[in-house]
Amino acid sequence: MNAAVIATTFGVVFLAELPDKTALASLVLATKYRARDVFIGAAGGFAVQVAIALAAGALLSLLPHRTLEGIVAALFLLGAFLIFRHGRQDDAEAESEAEEAALSAKPGNGTWRALLTSFTVITIAEFGDLTQIVTANLAAKYDWLPVGIGAVVALWAVAALAILGGQALLRLISLKWITRVAAVIMAVLAVISLISAIRG
C-alpha cells in the first residue's frame, strides 16, 4: 500500500472538493435532517462516484504510456483552470446552486428520507465532477486501491466538515485561497505528467 499516493490523492481531492457545490449541498441538507443521516447518505454517494472514477481510470490506463500521460496532463490542466475559475465565481451564486440541488427533493425529516435524499443529491451532483475526473486521472497513473482510499477519505472529510461546521471553517480560511492552492497543485501535477509524456 503506497502511503504517498494515498496522501497525494487525499490532498488534491480534499482541496478540490472544499469549494465545490456538493460540500455546500451537504451543509444545506444538514439544516433539514440529522447530521448523522446526511453524512451516511452523502458518504454512500461519494463511494459510488469514486468507484466509477476508479473504473474510468482503469480504462485510461490501457492506453500507451505516452498517450496516457498526455491525456492526464491535459485533464489536470483543465482541472486547474476549472478550480481557478470556480474560485472567482460569486460565493452567493454557488451557495444558491447548492441550495437548489439540496432542496429539490421533497421535504421531510425521516431517517430513510434523509439517507435517500442525501445519497441522491450527492451522487447526481458529483457525477462528472472535477474530483471524479481527478480521481480517474490518479487511478490511471497509480494503483487503484490507494487512490480509492485517498479519494473516499478526502470526500468524506469534506462532507463531515461541511455538515459539522462549514460556515465556521470558511470564516477562518478564505475560499479564494483554498481554490488557488488546489489550482496550483493541479497545475504541478499536469507539468509532471507532461514531462513524463515527453520523456516517454
Side-chain angles (χ1 to χ4, degrees), residues 77-110:
L77 278 175
L78 175 64
F81 169 75
L82 291 174
I83 287 177
F84 184 75
R85 190 183 73 175
H86 182 74
R88 301 181 72 184
Q89 181 184 25
D90 182 38
D91 289 344
E93 182 183 325
E95 189 167 348
S96 70
E97 285 177 13
E99 285 179 5
E100 186 179 323
L103 299 176
S104 60
K106 294 179 182 177
N109 293 318

Side-chain angles (χ1 to χ4, degrees), residues 14 18 27 156-167 169:
F14 184 86
L18 267 181
L27 193 152
W156 289 356
V158 171
L161 275 175
I163 291 165
L164 297 175
Q167 291 177 337
L169 176 68

